[in-house]
Amino acid sequence: MHRSDEDLRSEARQTTFGDARYGNKAEAFEAFDDQPCNPAVEARPESLIGAVIETRYSRRGALRAGLGVAATTALFGASALTAPTARAQSTAVSSGLAPEAAPGRYAFEEIAGGVDETHHLTPGHEAQVLLRWGDPIFANAPAFDPRNQSEAAQLRQFGYNNDYVGFIPLDAWGEARALLCVNHEYTNEELMFPGLGRQDRAGFKDMTPELIRIEMAAHGGTVVEIERAPDGLWSVVLDSPYNRRITPSKTEMAIDGPAAGHPRMRTSADPTGTRVIGTLNNCAGGITPWGTYLMAEENFHGYFWTDQRDAEGKPQDGLGGDQAASYDRYGLPGGWYAWGTLEERFNVDKEPNEPNRFGWIVEVDPLDPSSTPVKHTALGRFRHEGSECVLAADGRAVVYSGDDGRFEYVYKFVSSKPYRPADRAGAMSLLSEGVLYAARFDADGGLVWLPLTHGEGPLTAENGFDSQAAVMIDARRAADLLGATPMDRPEDVQPRTRLDGDGSFGDGTAYVMLTNNNRRTAGQEDAANPRAENVFGHVIEIREEGGDPAATSGRWEIVVRCGDPQVAEVGAEWSPETSADGWFACPDNAAVDADGRLWISTDQGRGWGRTGKADGFYGLETEGESRGASKLFFRCPVGAELCGPVFSPSGETLFLAVQHPGSDGTRDFAGFERDSTFDDPATRWPDFEDGVPPRPSVLVVRKTGGGKIAV
Ligand code: FEO
Ligand code: CA
């Protein structure tokens, strides 16, 4: 049901969310909304750390080298379509300097840390702006016109805030034709719309229904075919039949797995509890070995609204009725957007079960643009950061996922059935049935995967779990009861693959990005989260028992503790080979390249002023004597985070997603020192044209003259 503009404004004025201390919505989210919801953390034993972590932080002998090659490579050799192509305009940006090899496995010349209005790339490589917010992705889409935006245009253009990037080859190596699958996580209204400013600070008073619809159309995902010309430049195939936008407002999805049809999944629009419109806040994701695109729903709570507020504008206690404890555990309703004033399903007063239909992993078949995406409830409901999928040796699919909240958990899902390469149709139900586990990181370096299985241990009706559906809907609370380890904001969990005669399999190694947790207090440290007020984060390596990604136990070890190693109080730990430019803060997304090398992108949010470094892309050595050595390969323009790193299977092409340029921490940007808006942005990257705001964009990086990147 739609309301009039006046109704919308009147209701919106009654709410207060903003705080002038923060420059924009993302900064306010970081400070306010991401408060720990986990009561279990209070019951943790006192610090186990100190000596434990010191003894565990030691260089090990070389691991068996990973021979990571994306498993998708072999799947699509014969799937090419032969549609005529229309080339989208693209922009080449060359570093203009000669290549120079550096020692070690990461053969590139490190660039200087710092911050300015543009991006910087290691010499000898070139970055091309491939896709920008507003770029047409269909032949009949209108050109980007930031002063005359509409929902209709945005639905046919590339969305905002590109995060995850998945790469699916359409030829043997994907070096000529491929699909890109890109998540659009959230929107910054103050940078998207002229004359608007930050609306969460202003009670959303200027958020008209059309602006809200544009926001919705700018969320979700994009599937787009790309091709490479002989000159090495990539372009979008505008008339490809694969091109597709997926949005919160228009794309119908199926719900499957244990929670499908449960009474808590039913709404007035969907009395079956099996169909839902849309996906939102899609942060990181994954590509499965059978070539599907997984979209992780992260901060879903922020999109839900209530009219029941106290004098300060905060949601009344007890919202959700008999689901109040669940609401509290997930931070519902967040009230970050005014969507609930336009669509009643986003107002929990009207549809208290709608939030139960978000917070899942969505599977999309990009090879069939008419397919219905599926929300797989077997993978649990939480703020999924990512969903990287590998195969165990027996063919079962294993999906790792972090729950991005302070003191939240690391999870993995193991399918019941194995993947059979000859049966792609059968693979489409692999994520419908299996076991979800939460991780317990023991002080002795042991890792135990705790099954979230109804009827086992504490997951019984006595504790409020009437079924496996209830366990999946309230996965956080189930993991609390099982004694999973509360972590310092788990982001991407990146498994490594090895090539076998039969295909590509996980080698049992995975890297966990713990981005930060400034609310861990002295006394709350533990072996896997060794620092109080951990504002810089750390990286943990998991080694599954027997090298089997499906194992229920393993070992763990911290690879690096992030931050400046020259400042003793920071407590950072790096290989001494790491330069002053090479250390980083707030690891977020990760990739493993064709040679098994780990790469990490960072998101410091507004905290980049603490390091003086824009977010960037780093090679982090995990093997041999150089383990813990990091080097800076690329850095973002001011206010951006770096997302979506993915290498093509050959290692010759790299995609980087620069998200929210000109947004975060611009009060710390020397010479600018104020909040950044559409009309007065801290940068106009990447177009640098008067009147054009900064545009989140996906870059494609290659080595000048060709060949493997950083080799
Ligand atoms: Fe969307 Fe956890 O970053
Ligand atoms: Ca992220």
Side-chain angles (χ1 to χ4, degrees):
M1 172 184 167
H2 294 163
R3 300 177 190 194
S4 71
D5 289 14
E6 189 45 45
D7 286 347
L8 170 70
R9 294 199 186 95
S10 167
E11 290 177 18
R13 273 194 292 273
Q14 295 164 26
T15 65
T16 56
F17 305 99
D19 186 305
R21 287 176 294 170
Y22 303 103
N24 63 31
K25 188 183 290 177
E27 296 176 14
F29 296 167
E30 172 84 7
F32 284 94
D33 190 83
D34 196 16
Q35 297 186 18
C37 301
N38 187 349
V41 74
E42 301 301 332
R44 293 287 131 189
E46 289 299 292
S47 173
L48 302 168
I49 193 49
V52 175
I53 197 66
E54 291 306 330
T55 56
R56 289 198 49 70
Y57 189 83
S58 59
R59 289 206 196 103
R60 301 170 304 112
L63 281 175
R64 185 164 51 116
L67 297 173
V69 173
T72 53
T73 306
L75 297 178
F76 305 109
S79 65
L81 296 185
T82 53
T85 60
R87 208 168 276 284
Q89 185 179 3
S90 59
T91 309
V93 182
S94 171
S95 61
L97 296 172
E100 181 175 334
R105 290 202 307 155
Y106 296 80
F108 66 88
E109 183 180 327
E110 181 164 67
I111 62 171
V115 61
D116 60 20
E117 291 184 25
T118 193
H119 68 275
H120 297 266
L121 174 66
T122 187
H125 293 71
E126 297 170 10
Q128 173 194 352
V129 180
L130 179 65
L131 277 162
R132 302 162 293 189
W133 162 52
D135 277 349
I137 65 155
F138 299 97
N140 62 356
F144 181 57
D145 182 351
R147 294 194 173 271
N148 291 289
Q149 298 177 54
S150 68
E151 179 195 32
Q154 182 64 78
L155 286 167
R156 304 190 70 70
Q157 296 167 336
F158 195 60
Y160 204 77
N161 275 346
N162 33 231
D163 196 299
Y164 177 75
V165 179
F167 182 87
I168 297 180
L170 291 177
D171 54 35
W173 288 92
E175 291 299 341
R177 296 180 64 230
L179 297 183
L180 277 194
C181 304
V182 183
N183 283 352
H184 302 293
E185 184 181 10
Y186 72 101
T187 49
N188 294 76
E189 71 278 1
E190 78 281 9
L191 288 164
M192 283 180 73
F193 302 121
L196 203 66
R198 190 178 134 197
Q199 287 295 295
D200 60 325
R201 192 187 285 171
F204 301 102
K205 64 182 175 54
D206 297 320
M207 287 307 298
T208 64
E210 178 64 5
L211 291 182
I212 292 173
R213 291 189 190 105
I214 295 168
E215 282 187 326
M216 291 177 168
H219 277 69
T222 294
V223 177
V224 68
E225 183 179 343
I226 58 172
E227 64 176 1
R228 191 174 72 162
D231 63 3
L233 290 181
W234 288 85
S235 60
V236 171
V237 182
L238 286 173
D239 53 2
S240 168
Y242 293 122
N243 294 358
R244 182 177 190 182
R245 280 299 322 279
I246 294 160
T247 67
S249 49
K250 302 292 184 192
T251 311
E252 183 169 0
M253 308 201 163
I255 299 170
D256 86 349
H262 188 273
R264 290 178 64 192
M265 299 294 280
R266 300 175 193 164
T267 64
S268 55
D270 172 33
T272 69
T274 60
R275 308 291 285 190
V276 60
I277 303 295
T279 182
L280 48 75
N281 208 265
N282 306 96
C283 192
I287 298 294
T288 64
W290 50 96
T292 59
Y293 162 33
L294 303 181
M295 307 172 73
E297 296 184 329
E298 195 191 31
N299 292 303
F300 65 95
H301 61 297
Y303 296 79
F304 290 91
W305 182 270
T306 180
D307 297 313
Q308 302 179 64
R309 295 182 174 275
D310 64 18
E312 294 179 353
K314 297 194 175 116
Q316 297 277 9
D317 288 341
L319 286 181
D322 56 8
Q323 300 189 81
S326 178
Y327 270 39
D328 285 348
R329 191 66 185 80
Y330 287 93
L332 284 161
W336 298 358
Y337 291 86
W339 295 8
T341 64
L342 184 67
E343 290 195 20
E344 287 192 340
R345 68 190 179 114
F346 291 113
N347 184 336
V348 299
D349 307 338
K350 307 282 172 49
E351 284 291 356
N353 285 344
E354 189 72 2
N356 297 334
R357 294 142 62 83
F358 292 84
W360 305 103
I361 295 296
V362 181
E363 183 174 23
V364 178
D365 182 1
L367 298 178
D368 178 3
S370 66
S371 61
T372 301
V374 180
K375 295 198 180 188
H376 289 300
T377 66
L379 279 72
R381 176 171 165 264
F382 48 90
R383 296 185 205 168
H384 285 275
E385 165 73 23
S387 47
E388 291 285 356
C389 182
V390 292
L391 296 180
D394 63 8
R396 285 181 292 167
V398 178
V399 181
Y400 290 91
S401 200
D403 182 351
D404 185 1
R406 297 181 175 91
F407 304 108
E408 295 300 341
Y409 307 124
V410 173
Y411 296 82
K412 80 173 177 186
F413 168 85
V414 181
S415 69
S416 297
K417 295 180 185 141
Y419 169 53
R420 305 288 182 217
D423 182 17
R424 187 166 186 267
M428 294 299 172
S429 60
L430 279 183
L431 304 186
S432 307
E433 183 189 320
V435 178
L436 179 68
Y437 300 88
R440 194 185 75 209
F441 293 84
D442 289 337
D444 65 358
L447 171 71
V448 178
W449 290 107
L450 306 160
L452 276 70
T453 303
H454 179 250
E456 289 187 14
L459 305 184
T460 60
E462 289 176 341
N463 288 320
F465 294 105
D466 66 6
S467 59
Q468 185 65 17
V471 172
M472 293 296 98
I473 293 169
D474 283 319
R476 280 185 163 183
R477 202 169 71 79
D480 296 343
L481 291 173
L482 292 169
T485 303
M487 307 298 286
D488 286 347
R489 286 187 61 200
E491 301 263 15
D492 259 7
V493 181
Q494 179 65 53
R496 198 167 59 184
T497 54
R498 65 182 166 80
L499 196 59
D500 193 286
D502 299 323
S504 178
F505 297 87
D507 74 354
T509 309
Y511 295 93
V512 185
M513 308 297 118
L514 287 314
T515 197
N516 58 56
N517 183 355
N518 65 355
R519 292 196 175 85
R520 187 178 291 276
T521 57
Q524 288 182 316
E525 307 97 327
D526 60 29
N529 302 276
R531 287 185 288 181
E533 296 179 39
N534 178 15
V535 295
F536 299 117
H538 54 290
V539 176
I540 284 180
E541 180 185 72
I542 286 174
R543 281 166 289 140
E544 304 279 16
E545 185 67 34
D548 177 8
T552 55
S553 64
R555 307 286 298 169
W556 66 268
E557 185 169 286
I558 291 178
V559 183
V560 289
R561 297 195 218 175
C562 304
D564 187 347
Q566 300 300 316
V567 180
E569 309 82 69
V570 167
E573 298 267 16
W574 300 93
S575 160
E577 295 173 24
T578 305
S579 79
D581 294 312
W583 61 265
F584 58 79
C586 305
D588 189 341
N589 303 122
V592 173
D593 70 15
D595 292 309
R597 300 177 299 180
L598 179 65
W599 298 80
I600 290 175
S601 64
T602 64
D603 175 14
Q604 302 166 95
R606 73 182 194 282
W608 65 260
R610 290 191 196 102
T611 64
K613 298 178 172 195
D615 282 315
F617 191 55
Y618 298 81
L620 177 63
E621 183 58 78
T622 57
E623 309 302 314
E625 287 302 305
S626 295
R627 181 175 164 90
S630 175
K631 282 175 69 177
L632 176 56
F633 181 88
F634 172 93
R635 78 174 210 232
C636 289
V638 63
E641 69 169 286
L642 191 66
C643 299
V646 65
F647 289 87
S648 65
S650 69
E652 295 186 5
T653 309
L654 163 68
F655 296 87
L656 298 173
V658 174
Q659 189 180 145
H660 57 73
S663 169
D664 287 5
T666 54
R667 292 181 193 178
D668 290 330
F669 185 33
F672 187 77
E673 292 152 10
R674 57 191 184 271
D675 294 342
S676 180
T677 65
F678 180 104
D679 303 292
D680 178 29
T683 177
R684 294 189 185 275
W685 186 92
D687 298 341
F688 295 106
E689 282 179 28
D690 287 348
V692 178
R695 300 169 74 182
S697 300
V698 173
L699 305 184
V700 53
V701 174
R702 65 196 171 103
K703 200 172 188 176
T704 303
K708 272 189 183 174
I709 287 169
V711 170

